Amino acid sequence: TEEFLLLPFKQVEELIASPQLNVPCEEKVFTAVISWVKHDLPERQKMVPELLKHVRLPLLSRDFLTSNVDAEPLVREDSSCHHLLLEALKYHLLPEQRATLTSPRTQ
């Protein structure tokens, strides 16, 4: 919503980091973060890594990871974001190692 797009960084971060956040799927959180950043790209682009670390990328489907997250230039062009994407892909590619790949993003 327009109201969400106008929120300051700290409020967006608190919202998406909240354990009480109730969304039908984690894809909505990723999409919301990217929409918020693109609403004022010159000012907000540098905040992408800080926000993306709160998105539970490993819980996204492999298809969404490869077709949306990996295709997003804001993720591809930032090494911190790319590292988070690789973590999520490893989670899907190495199911036998999921116990060792635990993080707040896998809960």
Side-chain angles (χ1 to χ4, degrees):
T1 65
E2 186 69 23
E3 184 180 354
F4 174 78
L5 296 175
L6 296 175
L7 289 174
F9 168 77
K10 272 295 178 202
Q11 281 187 292
V12 172
E13 183 180 38
E14 287 173 16
L15 180 66
I16 66 170
S18 171
Q20 276 93 33
L21 181 62
N22 186 7
V23 291
C25 59
E26 201 67 22
E27 286 90 347
K28 300 280 186 195
V29 180
F30 174 79
T31 303
V33 165
I34 297 301
S35 296
W36 183 85
V37 170
K38 288 182 176 181
H39 188 72
D40 186 4
L41 191 60
E43 286 296 314
R44 297 177 177 177
Q45 184 170 0
K46 62 187 174 289
M47 301 168 193
V48 174
E50 194 62 30
L51 291 174
L52 208 57
K53 76 177 186 182
H54 298 294
V55 180
R56 295 178 174 119
L57 293 178
L59 302 185
L60 300 173
S61 71
R62 284 185 306 201
D63 289 341
F64 190 88
L65 283 169
T66 56
S67 63
N68 295 82
V69 180
D70 188 38
E72 175 54 57
L74 291 170
V75 175
R76 289 190 73 100
E77 295 167 8
D78 185 281
S79 62
S80 298
C81 294
H82 203 256
H83 174 74
L84 294 170
L85 174 61
L86 288 176
E87 174 192 59
L89 291 171
K90 277 186 191 179
Y91 188 81
H92 283 281
L93 293 172
L94 305 168
E96 68 281 356
Q97 294 182 17
R98 284 187 181 162
T100 63
L101 298 172
T102 57
S103 77
R105 288 176 293 281
T106 59
Q107 298 174 356

